[in-house]
Amino acid sequence: MDQAKPFGEFDYVIVGAGSAGCVLANRLSADPSRRVLLLEAGGSDNYIWIHVPIGYLMCMGNPRTDWRFRTEPEAGLNGRALDYPRGRVLGGCSSINGMIYMRGQARDYDGWRQMGAVGWSWDDVLPFFKRGEDYYAGESEHHGAGGEWRVEEQRHQWPLLDAFRDAAAALGVPRIDDFNTGDNFGSSYFRVNQKAGLRWNAAKAYLNPVRSRDNLRIQTNSTVERVRFEQGRAVGVEFRLDGVRLFAAARAEVILAAGAVASPKLLELSGIGDGERLASHGVDLVRHSPGVGENLQDHLQVRCAYKVSGVSTLNTLSRHPIGAMGIGLNYLLFRRGPIAMAPSQLGVFARSDESFETANLEYHVQPLTLDRFGQPLHRFDAFTASVCNLRPESRGSVHLRSADPEAPPAIAPNYLSTEGDRRVVVDAIRLTRRIVAQAPLARFRPEEFKPGPQVQSDAELARAAGDIATTIFHPVGTARMGADAASVVDPELRVRGVSALRVIDASIMPTIPSGNTNAPTMMIAEKGAAMVLEDGA
């Protein structure tokens, strides 16, 4: 292996300039006496499709912005492998995601506390959600204002989605204004991370205002290969830039913020993981930690789809020349309309059955249908009622395929591997059908075509779910936080068994939150930065 050349010495070396890494770089560089290096494998976010909200369709699967991972073939998905988008660009997944601002439920974080993660209850984390927030309606008990992370109302609504809300209300799911007060049971239009009709990613929010700081270096196109240790202490990272292998030294700490796929991969490449697994790849063991890469959790969405009549959807509106021209002009002149919309506009949180204390299902309802992301919209008017199990029992893994840092990891979510998850997915499809059958939607004559009305028995529905379900891009948990010795990081996010190394990203979540995961990841970064600064004081 070629010798790494010195790149410089810093107090903190942060790996990954995604949702967490941008927050960390901002907060840790606020003290001018501390030098901070932020390393990002991808490039700049100066790409038009990042900033135009509808452009997420151009970013997923695009090597300029996406790692383009794929899962292993999944038994629960009838042998299918899925595309597994992860941001590879400044801003990370906040540059390519659905822009939805969602915290989850208070019980999620209280559950973390009950599992031993002292300091991570809802009351503990709420101030960190609010710390960087700039909520469109101003400061309140539940929201912050004046921070970096802009949260706005959506700039377009659809009569069809309003009717879906009314249909859900007919089954007892109330219309509510705000999903982010600790209990998200109900329906509402999602709040989004946008500013005046443009995507507001973590790079704009947290990096751009501080780029001029002399003590902050942001280095793109830099692929980190491993953390270097001396006598059990992380002393820096080795990375490649323009084909040259370099070493950045860390006086205080190395922080992995590369996400639930890349952070466990880096831990294993660095010698932290299951000893037998690492030996099989020729990686020298630094710390036997079998939990690294385990505990993968993700939200699996079942994209139920219905044809409609007598109402416009994006399928046909975007195809008609006059309609498409109107969409373009509306956005150019007012930053409104379909181009400004998030991929999913309407959210509905419900219970698959009444035995659940809080909502265990989340709907992302869209006035469009397509076979899969990246494919053209269908030529007929239709809508998608995508529904996911918020608290899956299934657990998967992310592990090395080889010691080659360039090799993608083996991602095995293990979807629908428990009877409980299969029960919930069947109940979710049945609930969707009951909502669509309610009177408020009748005037649009909805006609199910996915999974299809011919699919009726529990066994048929479970198999159909395996055929049409896909990830909703929420992987977490692969460097689990806990108070037990088997956890990968402790409640201060320090990697067990070594010193001067933390993981601060979605991989530390013990269990997946009951909602979208970008806002919780940024909360973790806010809280993690405070912990690092307190230890370094």
Side-chain angles (χ1 to χ4, degrees), residues 27 126-133 144-145 147-148 206 526-527 530:
R27 300 302 188 233
L126 182 58
F128 293 99
F129 276 115
K130 295 169 64 176
R131 176 170 292 183
E133 189 179 14
E148 296 88 352
Y206 291 92
E526 286 279 14
K527 187 169 172 60

Side-chain angles (χ1 to χ4, degrees), residues 387-403:
V387 59
C388 70
N389 177 1
L390 287 170
R391 295 189 288 276
E393 299 171 351
S394 300
R395 298 292 184 268
S397 63
V398 175
H399 290 299
L400 291 182
R401 292 183 187 275
S402 76

Side-chain angles (χ1 to χ4, degrees), residues 311-365:
V311 65
S312 292
T313 68
L314 195 58
N315 285 11
T316 56
L317 193 62
S318 61
R319 195 176 297 277
H320 192 282
I322 295 177
M325 185 182 299
I327 289 172
L329 286 173
N330 196 12
Y331 187 74
L332 286 172
L333 295 175
F334 307 109
R335 291 288 187 265
R336 293 187 175 275
I339 293 177
M341 75 184 195
S344 298
Q345 297 79 54
L346 177 65
V348 180
F349 287 80
R351 300 181 181 92
S352 61
D353 71 59
E354 292 307 311
S355 67
F356 288 91
E357 175 191 358
T358 60
N360 72 311
L361 299 178
E362 178 181 7
Y363 285 87
H364 294 75
V365 191

Side-chain angles (χ1 to χ4, degrees), residues 97-127:
N97 69 5
M99 296 164 282
I100 292 172
Y101 183 78
M102 181 68 60
R103 297 171 177 171
Q105 298 170 7
R107 73 178 302 282
D108 300 327
Y109 305 99
D110 290 342
W112 292 4
R113 171 62 184 86
Q114 291 304 311
M115 295 169 69
V118 175
W120 291 89
S121 72
W122 173 252
D123 288 342
D124 293 320
V125 303
L126 182 58

